[in-house]
Amino acid sequence: MIDEEPVTAADLVGTRLTRVTAAPHDRRSATAPQLSHLWLHLEDLGPVLVRSPGSGLSFRATDTTAAGDADAAGAPDGVATDAADLPLTRFLGQPIRSVSAIEYREGGTAFTTGLALGFEGGRVRLLGLDGLLSVVGPEEHLGAVEARLHEDTALARVVWTCTSNPSQWNAWTTGGRYLYFRYRHGEGSVEHFPGGPGLDAWDEEGSGLLAQWHDGSRGGAIDLADFLVPAGLRLAPNCEVLDGR
């Protein structure tokens, strides 16, 4: 990809993580590593620079030189190192199966503060708060901050729509997002369409891929419960599951 090219969360889905490079920040945290810069080296995309410009994250494609030299990307610490101690490294060689926006809520304030990356066997959260980038592993808890972090991954309604292979569902999250599930030839995918299930809404701005994986089979049928695990989604306690075939 071209240097400085913006990267969206949907671009990350399905790409294989081959290396992680980081520039640590001089501010430390007892709960999660604090970084000024993070490079995700992704197959097909190349190095993707992740930063926190204030609250939230920015993603852009960069070149190999910048990913290996923190000064080239303007990192204040002046050093970039292979991040062997970051939770991301346990998933090296694996594709990113899902992405999920993380929202920070406090009182009447709400904004997107990070992204959860799903891999086989776990997930990692990338959070941007107060200009600092934190990488939070599968078992890590951020104390009081956890209560303010929210992901729209619980399903309020799911409708099974296909009478045969492939397996397909329409779904709505508790936050009101419409999602389209599909499983065919062993590949599962989740897409978001802001305009709803109508075909004329599929090209609307904001549409995008949220999850994609292959289970190594050629199957076309899958149980909903087995589909949701790699998709990084779950049924809400009072979720309505309907057969609309």
Side-chain angles (χ1 to χ4, degrees):
M1 297 184 70
I2 301 172
D3 186 23
E4 303 293 331
E5 184 176 344
V7 174
T8 67
D11 293 329
L12 305 179
V13 177
T15 60
R16 190 176 305 277
L17 181 66
T18 61
R19 183 183 169 201
V20 178
T21 308
H25 203 285
D26 54 6
R27 287 168 60 184
R28 305 296 179 185
S29 168
T31 56
Q34 300 287 339
L35 307 174
S36 61
H37 293 61
L38 173 70
W39 288 269
L40 304 176
H41 299 254
L42 300 167
E43 197 171 67
D44 298 327
L45 280 181
V48 173
L49 173 61
V50 185
R51 299 182 65 186
S52 177
S55 293
L57 302 176
S58 69
F59 296 84
R60 66 175 175 83
T62 185
D63 59 28
T64 304
T65 301
D69 180 355
D71 287 333
D77 299 283
V79 62
T81 60
D82 287 332
D85 60 338
L86 290 181
L88 278 163
T89 59
R90 77 177 71 178
F91 301 111
L92 289 178
Q94 294 189 25
I96 297 173
R97 300 203 305 189
S98 65
V99 296
S100 176
I102 302 173
E103 191 174 70
Y104 182 94
R105 300 176 188 171
E106 185 174 17
T109 301
F111 56 88
T112 299
T113 191
L115 193 69
L117 306 179
F119 298 88
E120 183 177 2
R123 59 184 210 139
V124 174
R125 291 179 293 170
L126 308 179
L127 300 173
L129 289 169
D130 299 326
L132 294 178
L133 174 62
S134 298
V135 181
V136 185
E139 295 84 26
E140 293 179 274
H141 191 279
L142 297 179
V145 177
E146 285 289 347
R148 305 186 187 104
L149 302 178
H150 300 269
E151 295 179 54
D152 190 19
T153 56
L155 302 175
R157 185 168 181 257
V158 182
V159 181
W160 191 6
T161 60
C162 189
T163 57
S164 60
N165 297 348
S167 295
Q168 295 181 149
W169 295 268
N170 290 326
W172 289 262
T173 68
T174 54
R177 287 192 306 161
Y178 165 72
L179 305 177
Y180 169 63
F181 301 166
R182 180 180 173 89
Y183 178 83
R184 184 182 186 187
H185 301 320
E187 181 176 273
S189 63
V190 176
E191 295 176 90
H192 166 53
F193 301 107
L199 292 177
D200 55 349
W202 283 25
D203 292 327
E204 286 191 4
E205 183 177 355
S207 299
L209 187 65
L210 299 181
Q212 186 178 58
W213 71 94
H214 200 289
D215 60 16
S217 74
R218 295 291 295 171
I222 189 172
D223 290 338
L224 178 61
D226 293 332
F227 181 94
L228 295 180
V229 173
L233 300 168
R234 59 187 174 85
L235 300 180
N238 297 318
C239 179
E240 183 180 26
V241 181
L242 302 173
D243 188 342
R245 296 172 296 167

